[in-house]
Amino acid sequence: MPHEQALRAFGKLISSIASGHVMSREESYEAYRQVILNIQPELQQGAFLAAHLMRKPTTEELSGAWDALDRHDTAKLDIDLDGPVCDIVGTGSDRLKTLNCSSPAALIAAACGLPVAKKGARLVTGVSGASDIFESLGIDLDHPLERAALSLQNTGICYLPGEAFLKSGWARLIGSMRFTSAFNILGPLTRPCAQNNCAVIGAYAPEVSMQMIDILAEIGMKAALSPYGLADGFDQSLGMDEFSLCGLTKVVELRNGTITSYEVTPEDFGMKRVSLEAIASMKSGAENAAVVTDVLQGKRGGAAAEFFCMNAAAALYISGMATSYREGADMAREALETGAAWEKLEAMREYQGIGAVTECL
């Protein structure tokens, strides 16, 4: 527990942020370091996180917070892979709740030959998160990170639960909070896999897309997309943290140091628009996992399958494996229809599945 002087200094910082004070990158790093390492009392931590989000963090502040998370809380794995290694993840806290998309999209993209080091966590604001889905698919979330490294090296995909590589600070905070904070932005930006050089990172708001891409450019990511999807008939303040099959998607793209913003539609993927209801989240995590399983096994097509392929296509596009969103969608459909995506999950379970005993080949 810090001394009274340190407590008061942190409390003064909270008040100043609530009044509009903007921190430097170094000041933000120090504040978030104290939160991540649990140096300040929980009451002060929560007040700081809420005040900072309400004041809207700057890119410089978020970069400082990312520095603290990377230096003090992110376990690393290092593998021998050349070429693109992608991640597909979202911030959560979006207003339009859809079927879990990034998990099946990661498997579909990996089945197309793109190595994927996918991050995720348990539910934060929806009924299920990526960890809940992968657990339902037979992945052991308690395996050490060495298992994930083996899976990525030998099968071309792994799952990295935030609860495993962000144990001391982020997992404690995200597990106890029921409100959005800067950690919803920072969690998807963490880089536990050193070879991760491209990503699709969905955002809960369009301005967050730009901030995340700015931070990724700052930390040296070569290529990334940040989508904010909309639904026809809904206000633009209501969106989803993935590419949308039911309206246009606002996209911020980073490629070779250049940042561009544009919009895409389902038609750009060669897909037909559907109503939000067709891809909306089910009422429970088990039901969402069942839809994912049925799609991967070829028992269910339609909107859910197209939605998953659309987001896999984005990963194929930003990695350079596809020259356009439409080409990526064609590749994704083929991987799904031939059963390659389900085979990729089965291969992954040999290393990260419950009871897995396979060692490095």
Side-chain angles (χ1 to χ4, degrees):
M1 183 65 66
H3 295 299
E4 179 65 23
Q5 185 176 0
L7 289 170
R8 289 184 178 275
F10 198 85
K12 184 177 180 180
L13 176 63
I14 295 170
S15 297
S16 67
I17 288 172
S19 298
H21 172 66
V22 176
M23 297 180 287
S24 67
R25 183 168 180 168
E26 293 74 19
E27 190 178 11
S28 179
Y29 161 78
E30 176 56 26
Y32 275 91
R33 183 189 72 84
Q34 293 188 46
V35 171
I36 289 165
L37 296 180
N38 205 23
I39 293 172
Q40 289 291 326
E42 287 190 351
L43 184 62
Q44 297 234 105
Q45 294 177 39
F48 167 77
L49 293 172
H52 195 204
L53 188 76
M54 292 300 292
R55 203 226 61 213
K56 295 186 178 180
T58 66
T59 296
E60 185 176 7
E61 289 175 323
L62 289 173
S63 296
W66 186 91
D67 292 338
L69 196 61
D70 187 62
R71 295 176 196 174
H72 299 288
D73 201 42
T74 306
K76 306 285 186 177
L77 59 89
D78 197 4
I79 55 164
D80 183 20
L81 277 182
D82 296 322
V85 178
C86 197
D87 187 13
I88 309 175
V89 67
T91 58
S93 294
D94 46 346
R95 303 284 294 278
L96 298 181
K97 301 303 181 186
T98 65
L99 293 165
N100 290 90
C101 181
S102 63
S103 302
L107 289 163
I108 294 168
C112 294
L114 172 63
V116 178
K118 174 168 172 41
K119 300 190 301 287
R122 290 198 182 277
L123 70 93
V124 178
T125 57
V127 300
S128 55
S131 285
D132 304 292
I133 296 299
F134 272 108
E135 188 173 51
S136 295
L137 294 174
I139 299 303
D140 189 342
L141 303 182
D142 293 325
H143 270 327
L145 288 182
E146 288 77 11
R147 281 264 162 208
L150 287 174
S151 183
L152 182 57
Q153 185 75 62
N154 292 290
T155 74
I157 188 171
C158 71
Y159 181 59
L160 299 164
E163 298 86 355
F165 68 86
L166 291 169
K167 285 187 175 178
S168 63
W170 179 90
R172 170 183 60 83
L173 290 157
I174 211 76
S176 61
M177 293 188 306
R178 294 298 182 269
F179 63 91
T180 303
S181 75
F183 286 108
N184 291 88
I185 301 171
L186 297 173
L189 299 180
T190 52
R191 194 156 58 177
C193 176
Q195 283 70 31
N196 174 215
N197 52 23
C198 56
V200 179
I201 304 182
Y204 64 81
E207 64 272 16
V208 173
S209 285
M210 183 59 75
Q211 281 191 320
M212 291 198 300
I213 291 296
D214 283 342
I215 295 168
L216 288 174
E218 189 72 21
I219 65 176
M221 183 71 74
K222 292 182 178 180
L225 298 172
S226 184
Y228 173 71
L230 303 172
D232 291 342
F234 288 79
D235 188 271
Q236 292 200 7
S237 64
L238 304 176
M240 61 188 77
D241 63 345
E242 53 239 340
F243 283 83
S244 173
L245 192 61
C246 48
L248 66 82
T249 299
K250 296 177 180 292
V251 184
V252 183
E253 177 177 326
L254 165 67
R255 198 181 290 269
N256 298 323
T258 299
I259 297 174
T260 56
S261 299
Y262 55 88
E263 297 176 350
V264 295
T265 66
E267 291 78 13
D268 292 318
F269 292 79
M271 298 178 177
K272 294 181 179 179
R273 297 190 188 208
V274 301
S275 67
L276 176 62
E277 184 180 5
I279 59 170
S281 173
M282 308 299 280
K283 294 182 180 179
S284 70
E287 290 177 285
N288 281 339
V291 172
V292 170
T293 299
D294 286 348
V295 170
L296 293 175
Q297 290 184 330
K299 298 177 181 178
R300 177 171 179 155
E306 288 283 84
F307 184 43
F308 300 161
C309 286
M310 169 183 264
N311 284 272
L316 296 170
Y317 164 72
I318 195 59
S319 70
M321 290 193 64
T323 58
S324 66
Y325 287 115
R326 186 181 290 263
E327 182 184 7
D330 291 340
M331 294 169 63
R333 286 194 193 97
E334 182 177 0
L336 194 58
E337 291 169 0
T338 60
W342 181 255
E343 290 172 3
K344 186 61 67 173
L345 172 63
E346 291 184 318
M348 180 183 174
R349 286 195 295 216
E350 292 184 17
Y351 293 92
Q352 290 192 271
I354 297 170
V357 295
T358 305
E359 297 297 338
C360 188
L361 300 177

